[in-house]
Amino acid sequence: MSLFPPEDYARFRAEGHWADITLPQMVAASVARVPDRLALVDAPNRETLFEGAPKRLTYAQMEAEVARYAAHLQAQGLGQGALVATQLPNIAETLLLYLAISRIGAVLSPVSMAYRAAELADLTRVAGFDAFISIGHFKGQPFDPERLSALPASVLRLGIGSGLPDGMASLDGPAPAPLASVTVDADAPFAVFWTSGTEGVPKAVPKTHNNLMASSLGAWRLLDLPDGANILAPFPFVNAAAVGGLMMCWMRTAGALFLHHPFDLQVFLHQLKTEDIAYTMVAPTLLTYLRDQADDPGLRAALHRLIALGTGSAPPDPEVFVFFEQHFAIPVVNFFGSNEGAQMCSAASRVPDPRERARFFPRDGDEGWDATSRTANGGTFRLVDPASGAAVTEPGGLGEMQLRGPAMMPGYYSRLGYDRTKFTPDGYFPSGDLFQISDCGGLIRFHARARELIVRGGMKIAPVELDNTLSALPGVREVAVAAYPDPRMGEKVCLFAVMHPGRSLTLAEVSDFCDRVGLAKFKWPERLEFLPALPRTPLAKLDRKALAKRLAESQKTGEIHA
């Protein structure tokens, strides 16, 4: 079975990006090879999130639990092609259920714990879930029964743990019947992920087993993780980045996956200090915190144990990359990706200068530059001028990235099938991401989301560029800019700042800083707002739309707000 155009199927098979290995087969191989090796570890604060003591499962113990859950799911009538939504925190049972769903040939659809009845109703209208799995309580609060009422009566309600609401069948207890063997196709969907929904109802993004294999292979190679390397995962397993970049890397190393989330700084630091962690991926703000606290003896020892550090989702500070390379010999890897299938990896092997690595990605995969090269996940791209449609190939050029590759989704999913209308006639997916070619010609940098550009008096401003520059303001923990309406200029720039305790900032100081760094005056923020934290989507991405909405609704333009 193939959900892709025949030419893509033939190409990616011929190039070795796709094969016949499925995720259940990968797990089975690890179980057979290292049955007694530690495989899956709960966060130490599990009992405050859910119930029961933290689990530490070997591969053999994990396999037994996966088989038990798979048998329960089959007993509920679920099997090949069934779409199973899960709304679960990062506990051991979550990964066990993911693998069990895959084992029976069903399709996983993870949903953020932040979503409530309205979002669940939207998602099920799009995708048509066959089953929904959740828990009876979380962080001391009972399950919200309105979430179940948002689901059609045809959706099976399943749960784990105590306190399940009426109508939700338990998946706990011994297997009700022997597990029936199922043949799973590597070209069949493994999961349907969801976009962040910042532009409306989230879109359903299906990924096959082969998609995820391709997505993880490049990152795993660039990170150079050895067999048995342990991974600490501080992000929820609800999108392709977390599943492809953390869960799949864990499956390739056959080490232990240490779970974490919701994010708790002290718990995260405890895990780093007390467990043998080889790799973790953190947001840029946490990367900065780790640098600032690196003199702590316990943390310093933990950082020396790390083989690799990853970051992404926001502009990182280049000097932090320099610090970790100089003091701990850790070349931090910068990632850029999307659920749909984009993956840029800036690793030391391709971008040796740590300052450049924080801002740029190798131009690998650009068909207008080197037709033989590939992106980290085996794909290719082209940069296209959004206005003219002309190819962008020269240094300094700016264009929208259009992608194709073995990690690319087959099309947006709905209960009606797979929609490829967003693809170009020759098979490329327009990402909406604007990238600029470096002056040297061998690197590219993310410029902006096309829809996020701020237009002030006809001059276009890239928010990410300003985020990068203004993150160096003294006293700020994190910053982001957004547009606010202006009757004369159309739009102007507002700076949102999250300050370190005891620090302050004025708009005049922001202007002085912009002047010192030589920023064009039309880009200078003309309004300053303070927030305790920047708004994030359920997938932990900056929600710039929420910032713009806050500004559009405010009538106090030009004032400073505490």
Side-chain angles (χ1 to χ4, degrees), residues 92-152:
E93 288 87 342
T94 299
L95 276 295
L96 299 172
L97 281 163
Y98 284 15
L99 297 175
I101 290 167
S102 176
R103 178 77 61 87
I104 65 171
V107 182
L108 166 72
S109 188
V111 174
S112 168
M113 287 293 289
Y115 282 173
R116 299 180 64 189
E119 291 84 6
L120 280 175
D122 283 341
L123 302 191
T124 197
R125 275 194 293 269
V126 172
F129 300 131
D130 295 296
F132 171 80
I133 303 175
S134 193
I135 53 180
H137 54 92
F138 181 60
K139 296 170 68 173
Q141 297 298 313
F143 182 94
D144 179 2
E146 291 184 3
R147 287 188 291 171
L148 289 186
S149 65
L151 301 171

Coordinates of all heavy atoms in Angstrom, one line a residue, residues 92-152:
A92 N 4.6 6.4 31.6 CA 5.0 5.2 30.9 C 3.9 4.6 30.1 O 4.1 4.1 29.0 CB 5.6 4.2 31.9
E93 N 2.7 4.6 30.6 CA 1.6 4.1 29.9 C 1.3 4.7 28.6 O 0.8 4.1 27.6 CB 0.3 4.2 30.8 CG 0.3 3.2 32.0 CD 0.9 3.8 33.2 OE1 1.7 4.8 33.1 OE2 0.7 3.3 34.3
T94 N 1.7 6.0 28.4 CA 1.5 6.7 27.2 C 2.3 6.0 26.1 O 1.8 5.7 25.0 CB 1.9 8.1 27.3 OG1 1.0 8.8 28.3 CG2 1.7 8.9 26.0
L95 N 3.6 5.8 26.3 CA 4.4 5.1 25.3 C 4.0 3.7 25.1 O 4.0 3.2 23.9 CB 5.9 5.2 25.7 CG 6.6 6.5 25.4 CD1 6.8 6.6 23.9 CD2 6.0 7.7 26.0
L96 N 3.6 3.0 26.1 CA 3.1 1.6 26.0 C 1.9 1.6 25.1 O 1.8 0.7 24.3 CB 2.8 1.0 27.4 CG 4.0 1.0 28.4 CD1 3.5 0.5 29.8 CD2 5.1 0.0 27.9
L97 N 1.0 2.5 25.3 CA -0.2 2.5 24.5 C 0.1 2.9 23.0 O -0.5 2.3 22.1 CB -1.3 3.5 25.1 CG -2.0 2.9 26.3 CD1 -2.7 4.0 27.1 CD2 -3.1 1.9 25.8
Y98 N 1.0 3.8 22.8 CA 1.4 4.2 21.5 C 1.9 2.9 20.7 O 1.5 2.7 19.6 CB 2.5 5.2 21.5 CG 2.1 6.6 21.8 CD1 0.9 6.9 22.3 CD2 3.0 7.7 21.5 CE1 0.5 8.2 22.6 CE2 2.7 9.0 21.8 CZ 1.4 9.3 22.4 OH 1.1 10.6 22.7
L99 N 2.7 2.2 21.4 CA 3.3 1.0 20.8 C 2.2 -0.1 20.6 O 2.2 -0.9 19.6 CB 4.5 0.5 21.6 CG 5.7 1.4 21.7 CD1 6.7 0.8 22.6 CD2 6.3 1.7 20.3
A100 N 1.3 -0.2 21.6 CA 0.2 -1.2 21.5 C -0.7 -0.9 20.3 O -1.2 -1.8 19.6 CB -0.6 -1.2 22.8
I101 N -1.1 0.4 20.1 CA -1.9 0.8 19.0 C -1.3 0.5 17.7 O -1.9 -0.1 16.8 CB -2.2 2.3 19.1 CG1 -3.1 2.7 20.3 CG2 -2.8 2.9 17.8 CD1 -3.2 4.1 20.7
S102 N 0.0 0.7 17.6 CA 0.8 0.3 16.4 C 0.8 -1.2 16.2 O 0.7 -1.7 15.1 CB 2.2 0.9 16.5 OG 2.9 0.5 15.4
R103 N 0.9 -1.9 17.3 CA 1.1 -3.4 17.2 C -0.2 -4.0 16.6 O -0.1 -5.0 15.8 CB 1.2 -3.9 18.6 CG 1.3 -5.4 18.7 CD 2.7 -6.0 18.3 NE 3.7 -5.5 19.2 CZ 4.2 -6.0 20.3 NH1 3.6 -7.1 20.8 NH2 5.2 -5.4 21.0
I104 N -1.4 -3.4 16.8 CA -2.6 -4.0 16.2 C -2.9 -3.4 14.9 O -4.0 -3.7 14.3 CB -3.8 -3.9 17.2 CG1 -4.1 -2.4 17.4 CG2 -3.4 -4.5 18.5 CD1 -5.4 -2.2 18.2
G105 N -2.1 -2.6 14.3 CA -2.3 -2.0 13.0 C -3.2 -0.8 13.0 O -3.7 -0.3 12.0
A106 N -3.6 -0.3 14.2 CA -4.4 0.9 14.3 C -3.5 2.1 14.2 O -2.3 2.0 14.1 CB -5.2 0.9 15.7
V107 N -4.2 3.3 14.1 CA -3.5 4.5 13.9 C -3.6 5.4 15.1 O -4.8 5.7 15.5 CB -4.0 5.2 12.6 CG1 -3.2 6.5 12.3 CG2 -3.9 4.3 11.4
L108 N -2.5 5.9 15.7 CA -2.5 6.8 16.8 C -2.8 8.2 16.4 O -2.5 8.7 15.3 CB -1.1 6.7 17.4 CG -0.7 7.8 18.4 CD1 -1.4 7.6 19.7 CD2 0.8 7.8 18.6
S109 N -3.5 8.9 17.3 CA -3.7 10.4 17.1 C -3.6 11.1 18.4 O -4.6 11.2 19.1 CB -5.1 10.7 16.4 OG -5.2 12.0 16.1
P110 N -2.4 11.5 18.8 CA -2.2 12.1 20.1 C -2.8 13.5 20.2 O -2.6 14.3 19.2 CB -0.7 12.1 20.3 CG -0.1 12.0 18.9 CD -1.2 11.3 18.1
V111 N -3.4 13.8 21.3 CA -4.1 15.1 21.5 C -3.5 15.8 22.7 O -3.3 15.1 23.7 CB -5.6 15.0 21.6 CG1 -6.3 16.3 22.0 CG2 -6.2 14.4 20.3
S112 N -3.2 17.1 22.6 CA -2.7 17.8 23.8 C -3.6 17.7 25.0 O -4.8 17.8 24.9 CB -2.5 19.3 23.4 OG -2.2 20.1 24.5
M113 N -2.9 17.6 26.2 CA -3.7 17.6 27.4 C -4.4 18.9 27.7 O -5.3 19.0 28.5 CB -2.7 17.3 28.6 CG -2.2 15.9 28.7 SD -3.6 14.7 29.1 CE -3.9 15.2 30.8
A114 N -3.9 20.0 27.0 CA -4.6 21.3 27.2 C -5.9 21.4 26.5 O -6.7 22.3 26.8 CB -3.6 22.4 26.7
Y115 N -6.2 20.5 25.5 CA -7.4 20.7 24.8 C -8.6 20.2 25.6 O -8.6 19.3 26.4 CB -7.4 19.8 23.5 CG -6.6 20.4 22.4 CD1 -6.3 19.7 21.3 CD2 -6.1 21.7 22.5 CE1 -5.6 20.2 20.2 CE2 -5.3 22.3 21.4 CZ -5.1 21.5 20.3 OH -4.4 22.0 19.3
R116 N -9.7 21.0 25.4 CA -11.0 20.7 26.1 C -12.1 20.3 25.1 O -11.8 19.9 24.0 CB -11.3 21.8 27.0 CG -10.3 22.2 28.1 CD -10.7 23.3 28.9 NE -11.8 23.1 29.7 CZ -12.5 24.0 30.4 NH1 -12.1 25.2 30.5 NH2 -13.6 23.7 31.1
A117 N -13.3 20.4 25.6 CA -14.4 19.9 24.8 C -14.5 20.6 23.4 O -14.7 19.9 22.4 CB -15.7 20.1 25.5
A118 N -14.3 21.9 23.3 CA -14.4 22.6 22.0 C -13.4 22.1 21.0 O -13.7 21.8 19.8 CB -14.3 24.1 22.2
E119 N -12.1 21.9 21.5 CA -11.1 21.5 20.6 C -11.3 20.0 20.2 O -11.1 19.6 19.0 CB -9.7 21.6 21.2 CG -9.2 23.0 21.4 CD -9.8 23.7 22.7 OE1 -10.4 23.0 23.5 OE2 -9.5 24.9 22.8
L120 N -11.7 19.2 21.1 CA -12.0 17.8 20.8 C -13.1 17.6 19.8 O -13.0 16.8 18.9 CB -12.3 17.0 22.0 CG -11.1 16.5 22.9 CD1 -11.6 15.9 24.2 CD2 -10.2 15.6 22.2
A121 N -14.1 18.5 19.9 CA -15.2 18.4 18.9 C -14.7 18.8 17.5 O -15.1 18.2 16.5 CB -16.3 19.4 19.4
D122 N -13.8 19.8 17.5 CA -13.3 20.2 16.2 C -12.4 19.1 15.6 O -12.6 18.8 14.4 CB -12.3 21.4 16.4 CG -13.1 22.7 16.5 OD1 -14.3 22.8 16.2 OD2 -12.5 23.7 17.0
L123 N -11.6 18.4 16.4 CA -10.7 17.4 15.9 C -11.5 16.2 15.4 O -11.2 15.6 14.3 CB -9.7 17.0 16.9 CG -8.8 18.0 17.5 CD1 -7.7 17.4 18.3 CD2 -8.2 18.9 16.5
T124 N -12.5 15.8 16.1 CA -13.3 14.6 15.7 C -14.1 14.9 14.5 O -14.4 14.0 13.7 CB -14.1 14.0 16.9 OG1 -14.5 12.7 16.6 CG2 -15.3 14.9 17.1
R125 N -14.5 16.2 14.3 CA -15.3 16.5 13.1 C -14.4 16.3 11.9 O -14.8 15.9 10.8 CB -15.8 17.9 13.1 CG -17.1 18.0 13.8 CD -17.8 19.4 13.6 NE -17.1 20.5 14.2 CZ -17.3 20.9 15.5 NH1 -18.2 20.3 16.2 NH2 -16.6 21.9 16.0
V126 N -13.1 16.7 12.0 CA -12.1 16.6 10.9 C -11.8 15.1 10.6 O -11.9 14.6 9.5 CB -10.8 17.4 11.2 CG1 -9.8 17.1 10.2 CG2 -11.1 18.8 11.3
A127 N -11.4 14.4 11.7 CA -10.8 13.1 11.5 C -11.7 11.9 11.7 O -11.5 10.8 11.1 CB -9.6 12.9 12.4
G128 N -12.7 12.0 12.5 CA -13.6 10.9 12.8 C -13.0 9.8 13.6 O -12.7 8.7 13.1
F129 N -12.7 10.0 14.9 CA -12.0 9.1 15.7 C -12.9 7.8 15.9 O -14.1 7.9 16.0 CB -11.7 9.6 17.1 CG -10.8 10.8 17.1 CD1 -11.1 12.0 17.8 CD2 -9.6 10.8 16.3 CE1 -10.3 13.1 17.8 CE2 -8.8 11.9 16.3 CZ -9.1 13.1 17.0
D130 N -12.2 6.7 16.0 CA -12.9 5.4 16.3 C -12.9 5.2 17.8 O -13.8 4.5 18.4 CB -12.3 4.2 15.6 CG -12.4 4.3 14.1 OD1 -13.6 4.3 13.6 OD2 -11.4 4.5 13.4
A131 N -11.9 5.7 18.5 CA -11.7 5.5 19.9 C -11.0 6.6 20.6 O -10.2 7.4 19.9 CB -11.0 4.2 20.2
F132 N -11.2 6.8 21.9 CA -10.5 7.9 22.6 C -10.0 7.3 23.9 O -10.8 6.6 24.6 CB -11.5 9.0 22.9 CG -11.1 10.1 23.8 CD1 -10.2 11.1 23.4 CD2 -11.5 10.1 25.1 CE1 -9.8 12.1 24.2 CE2 -11.1 11.1 26.0 CZ -10.2 12.1 25.5
I133 N -8.7 7.5 24.2 CA -8.1 7.0 25.5 C -7.6 8.1 26.3 O -6.9 9.0 25.8 CB -7.0 6.0 25.1 CG1 -7.4 4.9 24.2 CG2 -6.4 5.5 26.4 CD1 -6.3 4.0 23.8
S134 N -8.0 8.1 27.6 CA -7.5 9.1 28.5 C -7.4 8.6 29.9 O -7.4 7.4 30.1 CB -8.4 10.4 28.5 OG -7.7 11.5 29.1
I135 N -7.3 9.5 30.9 CA -7.1 9.1 32.3 C -8.2 9.7 33.1 O -8.9 10.7 32.7 CB -5.8 9.5 32.9 CG1 -5.5 11.0 32.6 CG2 -4.6 8.6 32.3 CD1 -4.2 11.5 33.2
G136 N -8.5 9.2 34.3 CA -9.6 9.6 35.1 C -9.3 10.9 35.9 O -10.2 11.6 36.3
H137 N -8.0 11.2 36.1 CA -7.7 12.4 36.8 C -6.2 12.8 36.5 O -5.4 12.0 36.1 CB -7.8 12.2 38.3 CG -7.0 11.0 38.8 ND1 -5.8 11.1 39.3 CD2 -7.4 9.7 38.9 CE1 -5.3 9.9 39.7 NE2 -6.3 9.0 39.4
F138 N -5.9 14.1 36.6 CA -4.6 14.6 36.3 C -4.3 15.8 37.2 O -5.1 16.7 37.4 CB -4.6 15.1 34.8 CG -3.2 15.6 34.4 CD1 -2.1 14.8 34.4 CD2 -3.1 16.9 34.0 CE1 -0.9 15.3 34.0 CE2 -1.9 17.4 33.5 CZ -0.8 16.6 33.6
K139 N -3.1 15.7 37.9 CA -2.7 16.7 38.8 C -3.7 17.0 39.9 O -4.0 18.2 40.2 CB -2.3 18.0 38.1 CG -1.1 17.8 37.1 CD -0.8 18.9 36.2 CE -0.4 20.2 36.9 NZ 0.0 21.2 36.0
G140 N -4.4 16.0 40.3 CA -5.4 16.1 41.4 C -6.8 16.5 41.0 O -7.7 16.6 41.8
Q141 N -7.0 16.8 39.7 CA -8.3 17.2 39.2 C -8.9 16.1 38.4 O -8.3 15.4 37.6 CB -8.1 18.4 38.3 CG -7.5 19.7 38.9 CD -8.4 20.1 40.1 OE1 -9.6 20.3 39.9 NE2 -7.8 20.4 41.2
P142 N -10.2 15.9 38.6 CA -10.9 14.8 37.9 C -11.1 15.1 36.4 O -11.0 16.2 36.0 CB -12.3 14.7 38.6 CG -12.5 16.1 39.2 CD -11.1 16.6 39.6
F143 N -11.3 14.0 35.7 CA -11.5 14.2 34.2 C -12.7 15.1 34.0 O -13.7 15.0 34.7 CB -11.8 12.8 33.7 CG -12.0 12.7 32.2 CD1 -10.9 12.4 31.4 CD2 -13.2 12.9 31.6 CE1 -11.1 12.4 30.0 CE2 -13.4 12.8 30.3 CZ -12.3 12.6 29.4
D144 N -12.6 15.9 33.0 CA -13.7 16.9 32.6 C -14.7 16.1 31.8 O -14.4 15.7 30.6 CB -13.1 18.0 31.8 CG -14.1 19.0 31.4 OD1 -15.3 18.8 31.7 OD2 -13.8 20.0 30.7
P145 N -15.9 15.8 32.3 CA -16.8 15.0 31.6 C -17.3 15.7 30.3 O -17.8 15.0 29.4 CB -18.0 14.8 32.6 CG -17.9 16.0 33.5 CD -16.4 16.2 33.6
E146 N -17.2 17.0 30.2 CA -17.6 17.7 28.9 C -16.7 17.2 27.8 O -17.2 17.3 26.6 CB -17.4 19.2 29.1 CG -18.5 19.8 30.1 CD -18.4 21.3 30.1 OE1 -17.5 21.9 29.4 OE2 -19.1 21.9 30.9
R147 N -15.5 16.7 28.0 CA -14.7 16.2 26.9 C -15.4 15.0 26.3 O -15.4 14.9 25.0 CB -13.3 15.9 27.4 CG -12.5 17.1 27.7 CD -11.0 16.8 28.0 NE -10.9 16.0 29.2 CZ -9.8 15.4 29.6 NH1 -8.7 15.4 28.8 NH2 -9.7 14.8 30.7
L148 N -15.9 14.1 27.1 CA -16.6 12.9 26.5 C -17.8 13.3 25.7 O -18.1 12.8 24.7 CB -16.9 11.9 27.6 CG -15.8 11.2 28.3 CD1 -16.3 10.1 29.2 CD2 -14.9 10.5 27.2
S149 N -18.5 14.3 26.2 CA -19.8 14.7 25.6 C -19.5 15.4 24.2 O -20.4 15.5 23.4 CB -20.6 15.7 26.4 OG -19.8 16.9 26.6
A150 N -18.2 15.8 24.0 CA -17.9 16.4 22.7 C -17.6 15.4 21.6 O -17.5 15.7 20.5 CB -16.6 17.3 22.9
L151 N -17.6 14.1 22.0 CA -17.3 13.0 21.1 C -18.6 12.4 20.7 O -19.5 12.2 21.5 CB -16.4 12.0 21.8 CG -15.0 12.4 22.3 CD1 -14.4 11.3 23.1 CD2 -14.1 12.8 21.1
P152 N -18.7 12.0 19.4 CA -19.9 11.3 18.9 C -20.1 10.0 19.7 O -19.2 9.4 20.2 CB -19.6 11.0 17.5 CG -18.6 12.0 17.1 CD -17.8 12.2 18.3

